[in-house]
Amino acid sequence: MPQTVAALADWDGKSVPPESAFAALAADLAVAKKQNTAASLGKRLNYESAGMRSRIMSITRKIDQLQPGPVAPQLTAADPAWGEPGIWRIIQRNGSKFTPYYLMTALDLRIDDNNGIAKVPDDQAVFIDILGRTMWISALVTFATLCLGFPTAYMISIAPARMAAIMTLLVLLPLWTSLLVRTTAWVVLLQTDGVINQALMAFHLTTEKLQLMLTRFGTVTAMTHIQLPFTILPILAVMKTIPPALMRAARSLGAPALSAFWRIYVPQTLPGVMAGCLMTFILSLGYYITPALVGGPRDQMLSNFIATYINRDLNWGMAAALALLLLVMTLSIYFIFLRLVGAERLKLG
């Protein structure tokens, strides 16, 4: 709407725009009707205010019926909303080549009628909740992989060479299988008539089938299985560098076995633990397939919404803003971690 934007350049945003703005609007809508771009215009303005698309389409259909003379009375007669400053402020603040709309929406913020920054209504605030959910699920997966991965890595590190090679191969084996295949396998296991429910019923551990699919438990379980090798391998790489003589020396000096393990052995594994947890947490932030197939509506992560805006809504601006938010969050976590821990202490193996 180049003519309308130019006509509103010096408008104060408080009173009704002058006749020149109405004439410019009519000229822009006539061009939009001729070029079949009115629907795109209405869709974009509808992001800012519900009902703008139908309003734009309605006035565009009537634009050829305008009579010679002042345009303002005819447009306001066709739709009284055009006589209110609010609708013109929306057009005015979107006249720039760049817009903060998508980034602000990704943070549950908006520009109010006074061109100030305000929070969106509670019933429309969804993205901060999604961001928190993404971080919470990633933290749960990281904790679960650490609880399972540390003992596994320890067993591999103290096992005989042949057995350690076999166990390491079993850890690496899932990485040779497609992520989609592994996730689909969990769909088979977790469904109502799946293997897990049948086993629980067969051993009389439950009296009825459990709802494991489309739940947070199913999402975290499947993601933990997929991410487990990324936690085990850095920890194992560090454990293999710890001399066994240290534990024997601690025992010979009178330290109990458990005390020697926690005070001598575990602190030396921290670089691998931190590297494995950081890798798992960052990778979990970007999960898409597993929550989509195994999780329910309340388990969808930020990547799912990015894909929805790209593939279904064709709203690439919103998808780009959410992707940028995810990227900034990931980099921030990484640099904060490096600041607190130090890059020299990370051991990726």
Side-chain angles (χ1 to χ4, degrees):
M1 306 180 72
Q3 300 181 60
T4 307
V5 170
L8 295 175
D10 298 326
W11 177 54
D12 59 7
K14 299 178 180 179
S15 58
V16 179
E19 169 65 21
S20 59
F22 285 88
L25 174 67
D28 281 333
L29 292 180
V31 174
K33 183 177 182 180
K34 182 179 180 181
Q35 298 178 351
N36 294 320
T37 58
S40 299
L41 169 64
K43 179 181 178 181
R44 174 59 185 86
L45 293 177
N46 203 70
Y47 294 159
E48 305 253 356
S49 177
M52 281 295 292
R53 185 181 187 279
S54 60
R55 182 166 287 119
I56 290 292
M57 295 303 296
S58 175
I59 202 69
T60 302
R61 285 192 294 266
K62 301 175 182 178
I63 205 67
D64 293 334
Q65 302 174 11
L66 296 179
Q67 302 298 321
V71 178
Q74 300 183 62
L75 290 183
T76 53
D79 187 347
W82 292 106
E84 301 174 1
I87 192 172
W88 293 93
R89 282 196 292 266
I90 295 175
I91 299 174
Q92 184 187 47
R93 66 171 175 255
N94 283 281
S96 173
K97 184 177 181 180
F98 302 98
T99 174
Y101 169 78
Y102 297 108
L103 286 174
M104 294 181 63
T105 303
L107 296 172
D108 289 336
L109 300 174
R110 64 182 178 89
I111 299 178
D112 59 19
D113 291 338
N114 297 319
N115 289 329
I117 298 177
K119 292 183 177 180
V120 301
D122 292 339
D123 58 342
Q124 300 177 19
V126 295
F127 293 110
I128 295 298
D129 179 61
I130 295 169
L131 181 62
R133 180 197 311 165
T134 300
M135 298 186 66
W136 174 243
I137 292 177
S138 300
L140 289 177
V141 172
T142 302
F143 178 75
T145 55
L146 178 61
C147 292
L148 295 174
F150 192 93
T152 304
Y154 180 71
M155 292 177 60
I156 297 175
S157 66
I158 63 175
R162 184 180 296 272
M163 181 59 66
I166 296 175
M167 296 174 69
T168 304
L169 178 64
L170 293 177
V171 170
L172 294 173
L173 191 60
L175 297 179
W176 301 344
T177 308
S178 168
L179 174 64
L180 182 59
V181 173
R182 282 177 281 168
T183 303
T184 306
W186 277 106
V187 173
V188 176
L189 292 172
L190 295 172
Q191 60 185 339
T192 306
D193 295 321
V195 177
I196 295 178
N197 266 316
Q198 291 181 2
L200 293 175
M201 296 288 290
F203 288 104
H204 303 287
L205 297 177
T206 59
T207 57
E208 57 184 14
K209 296 178 180 178
L210 303 178
Q211 177 62 40
L212 302 176
M213 273 290 294
L214 306 181
T215 63
R216 182 68 52 84
F217 170 79
T219 303
V220 173
T221 301
M223 290 178 61
T224 299
H225 166 251
I226 295 169
Q227 285 298 129
L228 197 54
F230 297 100
T231 304
I232 292 177
L233 294 177
I235 298 176
L236 178 60
V238 173
M239 286 182 173
K240 286 185 175 181
T241 65
I242 301 176
L246 292 178
M247 292 292 292
R248 294 196 296 267
R251 294 295 305 276
S252 67
L253 293 174
L258 187 60
S259 178
F261 179 78
W262 283 109
R263 300 179 63 180
I264 303 298
Y265 189 83
V266 171
Q268 297 183 76
T269 65
L270 289 182
V273 170
M274 291 183 294
C277 290
L278 179 63
M279 185 183 302
T280 295
F281 185 80
I282 289 179
L283 289 175
S284 298
L285 289 175
Y287 259 65
Y288 165 63
I289 294 177
T290 304
L293 295 181
V294 181
R298 295 291 302 170
D299 304 311
Q300 303 307 304
M301 302 171 69
L302 200 59
S303 298
N304 299 82
F305 291 87
I306 295 174
T308 298
Y309 279 115
I310 290 177
N311 299 323
R312 190 192 69 184
D313 298 343
L314 300 180
N315 188 347
W316 286 28
M318 196 66 224
L322 292 176
L324 180 61
L325 178 63
L326 182 60
L327 176 62
V328 171
M329 180 179 65
T330 303
L331 292 177
S332 300
I333 293 172
Y334 178 71
F335 286 116
I336 290 173
F337 190 88
L338 292 184
R339 181 71 175 175
L340 296 176
V341 177
E344 68 279 358
R345 298 195 63 187
L346 290 179
K347 302 291 185 181
L348 298 178

